[in-house]
Amino acid sequence: MSGVHRHLGFLLLTEAVLCAAATRFQDVLSHGRTSVTSYKKLQGWSSDQNKWNEKLYPFWEEGDPRWKDCWKGGRVTAKLDTDSPALVGSNVTFVVTLQFPKCQKEDNDGNIIYERNCTQDPPASQDQQVYVYNWTEWIDNCGWENCTSNHSHNVFPDGRPFPHYPGWRRRNFVYVFHTFGQYYQTTGRSSVIFSVNTANMTLGKHVMAVSIYRRGHSAYVPIATASAIYVVTDKIPIFVSMFQKHDRNISDSIFIKDSPITFDVKIHDPTYYLNNSAISYKWNFGDGSGLFVASSSTTSHTYTLQGNFTLNLTVQAIIPVPCQPVTPTALLPTSAVTTGVPSNSDTSTAVESMEDNPDGGCHIYRNGYYRTGISVVEGILEVNIIQMMSIQMTESQAENSLVDFVVTCQGSLPTDVCTVVSDPTCQVSKSVVCDPIIVTDECLLTIRRAFEEPGTYCINITLGDDTSQALASALISVNGGSSSGTTEGVFIFLGLLAVFAAIGAFVLYKRYKQYKPIERSAGQGENQEGLTAYFSNFKAIFFPNSTERNPLLKSKPGIV
């Protein structure tokens, strides 16, 4: 009897030793990292203490020479991307993409196509240009139930069978993900996307690792590994973009006084976790204008003083969640609690309630914060083209048409000017000329530009300084030849216009002529003065050459 006991004890000891020596998921997937021993279970995931079938899924350490021969034509690499950071309670998504060696790609049937002629010189013959590796050929002629000899081959590393759905045989890669001391396994093609909920994850940075195996005839072959860091947070991830019309460099956080700044808030919520939430935006622009609360993600603000200011933004989301049973609970300080109503007694307990809920259901609060510094300075606010004049030239100088543009601006004084000449649609640029300028008193300058060919042009004149710039645009029609010819044509046109006007006046006079006695009225002198002023204005319109009488041009500075 004692011999039986000794034999039974030996068998139990042997089994314990074998179990201790068995390869587990933690041994294969941790890659030297410390595994998490205390965690909450992730939905659909399994503990990495389960046994790993190393015979069907061999495990190679990094640097093993077998990695060089695991794929025909070179080494396969894997890229693991994530949409982290993720707000706790939402889903975080991962995408794995396999990158094959040169001249290889996956076709619609899941086979790998080798294009042999992409590196050969001269190219291979037509029948040898493409090689198709159909690694599911051994099961193409049988169904799931009929392939009894290979039934044990279609399982994951923990022994669970592959899911049986249409097209399962075209998924030739096995992906095993590992995080939080747990693993998730699936089949796929050269790219796989999956999401995991973060409700049971601790806050902070974590590592997601993945091991990829390809299908083989007798076993699966490891081809690549990858890892990525993802972040779980209880703060709403937000980003604020700022735009100002005349700001020269948006990224430097320097803006112009007396010009509105548009603030646009982007919430990072790729899985639409906050879609049904009530979101508010609380702004403090730091200039003493007070607290501004809005329900829109876009707002604008104008700083009327120069200086440095601190912008603070708080985004609050009220997220509806399934209500828990109303039970007495201890009052614990937390950022995600159901609204509580204290009792009338002095005890430190509270009862969960649905009062003061904006959507009529239980909810939790999540906040996001943004803070940045802003500098406000003087800048150029507006540019206007007040006059365009064609410059008179002799016939020997009439190679180019010269035009002077008289420009004014508001705000600070400019330090440079750029002129862009485009087609009439202002879409196709023909020339760009930039010059430094020195303006010491009043923002009034004359810009001279040459035009080689006659036609209609779109002119954009930009005045700028270190922090701002403003633009004025105009359409101009440039005539060819010398200005004398142009002037002659203008006078011919005006002469014909005067002739037709005289004829029209004579016809009207003959038609509506009435006899009136000649008499001198008391207001005749005043009428003559008014008539003289009228013809003076008429002359100023049709004969503007006497520009020395224009007080604006008396003070115009040098020509640029």
Side-chain angles (χ1 to χ4, degrees):
M1 189 66 179
S2 59
V4 174
H5 283 285
R6 283 197 302 270
H7 183 66
L8 182 59
F10 178 77
L11 291 177
L12 293 176
L13 180 62
T14 303
E15 183 178 358
V17 172
L18 291 176
C19 290
T23 303
R24 303 183 182 275
F25 276 77
Q26 176 184 344
D27 304 326
V28 177
L29 303 176
S30 61
H31 300 289
R33 295 184 300 270
T34 304
S35 181
V36 179
T37 57
S38 178
Y39 52 83
K40 294 182 179 180
K41 185 174 179 5
L42 304 178
Q43 185 176 1
W45 290 58
S46 305
S47 171
D48 63 3
Q49 299 303 310
N50 291 344
K51 295 180 181 179
W52 175 283
N53 187 345
E54 192 173 4
K55 182 179 180 180
L56 190 59
Y57 290 85
F59 167 60
W60 300 340
E61 294 283 356
E62 188 64 33
D64 193 304
R66 289 176 290 183
W67 283 107
K68 298 180 180 180
D69 301 325
C70 66
W71 188 270
K72 181 178 180 180
R75 184 74 183 269
V76 177
T77 59
K79 183 181 180 182
L80 179 60
D81 296 314
T82 176
D83 61 1
S84 165
L87 183 64
V88 62
S90 67
N91 291 340
V92 57
T93 302
F94 298 89
V95 179
V96 185
T97 304
L98 296 181
Q99 299 173 342
F100 299 110
K102 186 179 180 181
C103 307
Q104 299 182 20
K105 62 181 180 180
E106 185 183 43
D107 66 4
N108 295 331
D109 294 327
N111 300 312
I112 303 301
I113 305 298
Y114 293 77
E115 299 179 358
R116 291 176 171 174
N117 66 335
C118 73
T119 57
Q120 290 186 2
D121 188 19
S125 60
Q126 184 67 30
D127 58 344
Q128 295 179 347
Q129 286 185 2
V130 177
Y131 169 73
V132 179
Y133 178 49
N134 183 358
W135 44 21
T136 60
E137 184 179 1
W138 58 278
I139 55 173
D140 279 344
N141 297 323
C142 62
W144 177 279
E145 296 82 2
N146 297 331
C147 295
T148 55
S149 60
N150 293 312
H151 183 71
S152 60
H153 188 71
N154 299 309
V155 295
F156 288 110
D158 60 359
R160 299 177 187 175
F162 291 162
H164 189 193
Y165 43 71
W168 67 273
R169 290 182 295 178
R170 303 304 175 195
R171 300 192 173 194
N172 300 304
F173 299 99
V174 176
Y175 297 82
V176 185
F177 298 89
H178 182 253
T179 190
F180 271 98
Q182 301 168 72
Y183 67 89
Y184 174 81
Q185 50 196 5
T186 185
T187 58
R189 297 178 61 174
S190 60
S191 181
V192 164
I193 179 172
F194 85 101
S195 300
V196 56
N197 190 268
T198 61
N200 289 335
M201 292 185 179
T202 57
L203 305 180
K205 294 183 178 180
H206 309 288
V207 177
M208 176 67 72
V210 60
S211 296
I212 304 102
Y213 285 75
R214 69 168 174 85
R215 186 192 298 274
H217 288 281
S218 59
Y220 290 85
V221 181
I223 59 171
T225 61
S227 63
I229 295 177
Y230 65 100
V231 178
V232 180
T233 177
D234 60 348
K235 305 294 187 298
I236 301 175
I238 59 176
F239 173 78
V240 179
S241 61
M242 292 170 277
F243 171 78
Q244 191 177 42
K245 182 179 180 180
H246 301 300
D247 188 19
R248 194 159 195 168
N249 185 3
I250 299 178
S251 61
D252 62 2
S253 298
I254 300 177
F255 297 93
I256 306 168
K257 182 175 75 74
D258 296 327
S259 179
I261 306 173
T262 300
F263 300 90
D264 188 18
V265 184
K266 301 294 184 183
I267 296 179
H268 182 73
D269 184 28
T271 59
Y272 309 105
Y273 176 64
L274 300 177
N275 260 18
N276 297 322
S277 304
I279 301 177
S280 61
Y281 304 84
K282 301 178 182 179
W283 297 90
N284 187 339
F285 298 101
D287 58 350
S289 58
L291 184 67
F292 178 71
V293 181
S295 59
S296 173
S297 60
T298 302
T299 189
S300 63
H301 182 73
T302 301
Y303 286 89
T304 59
L305 299 175
Q306 298 184 58
N308 298 321
F309 305 95
T310 300
L311 171 68
N312 286 280
L313 169 65
T314 300
V315 179
Q316 184 178 81
I318 305 176
I319 309 170
V321 295
C323 291
Q324 301 295 328
V326 180
T327 55
T329 57
L331 185 60
L332 298 176
T334 177
S335 61
V337 296
T338 308
T339 304
V341 178
S343 61
N344 295 328
S345 61
D346 295 333
T347 59
S348 60
T349 61
V351 178
E352 293 182 348
S353 173
M354 293 178 58
E355 295 182 2
D356 301 326
N357 295 328
D359 52 12
C362 298
H363 55 267
I364 57 176
Y365 291 89
R366 296 292 182 211
N367 294 325
Y369 304 96
Y370 180 83
R371 179 186 177 96
T372 189
I374 289 179
S375 297
V376 179
V377 298
E378 286 278 1
I380 302 173
L381 300 177
E382 185 178 353
V383 174
N384 294 299
I385 302 174
I386 63 174
Q387 192 169 4
M388 296 181 288
M389 299 178 297
S390 179
I391 305 303
Q392 295 183 1
M393 297 179 296
T394 64
E395 293 184 1
S396 60
Q397 298 174 338
E399 297 179 358
N400 296 328
S401 298
L402 298 181
V403 178
D404 281 354
F405 300 89
V406 181
V407 179
T408 64
C409 67
Q410 296 180 10
S412 63
L413 298 178
T415 58
D416 57 76
V417 56
C418 287
T419 306
V420 180
V421 180
S422 308
D423 68 331
T425 64
C426 300
Q427 299 296 322
V428 181
S429 176
K430 295 181 178 295
S431 65
V432 179
V433 179
C434 294
D435 297 300
I437 56 175
I438 299 177
V439 181
T440 58
D441 185 13
E442 182 183 5
C443 185
L444 173 65
L445 64 152
T446 301
I447 304 168
R448 176 169 294 177
R449 292 295 179 254
F451 298 86
E452 297 180 356
E453 298 178 355
T456 303
Y457 298 93
C458 174
I459 306 298
N460 292 325
I461 298 178
T462 302
L463 301 183
D465 57 13
D466 292 338
T467 59
S468 63
Q469 60 182 9
L471 170 72
S473 299
L475 282 176
I476 181 174
S477 180
V478 178
N479 297 325
S482 65
S483 61
S484 59
T486 303
T487 306
E488 181 180 354
V490 172
F491 277 106
I492 292 174
F493 172 76
L494 292 177
L496 293 176
L497 183 63
V499 171
F500 284 114
I503 294 174
F506 178 76
V507 172
L508 293 175
Y509 173 77
K510 297 292 289 183
R511 182 175 181 180
Y512 296 102
K513 177 182 176 182
Q514 293 181 1
Y515 172 76
K516 290 184 179 180
I518 299 175
E519 60 182 5
R520 181 178 181 88
S521 62
Q524 185 175 2
E526 296 178 359
N527 292 338
Q528 288 180 350
E529 293 178 0
L531 187 61
T532 302
Y534 173 80
F535 278 103
S536 297
N537 293 334
F538 184 84
K539 177 182 177 182
I541 293 175
F542 285 94
F543 301 96
N545 291 333
S546 300
T547 55
E548 70 278 4
R549 294 184 179 181
N550 191 333
L552 178 63
L553 297 180
K554 286 182 180 180
S555 60
K556 74 175 184 178
I559 299 175
V560 179

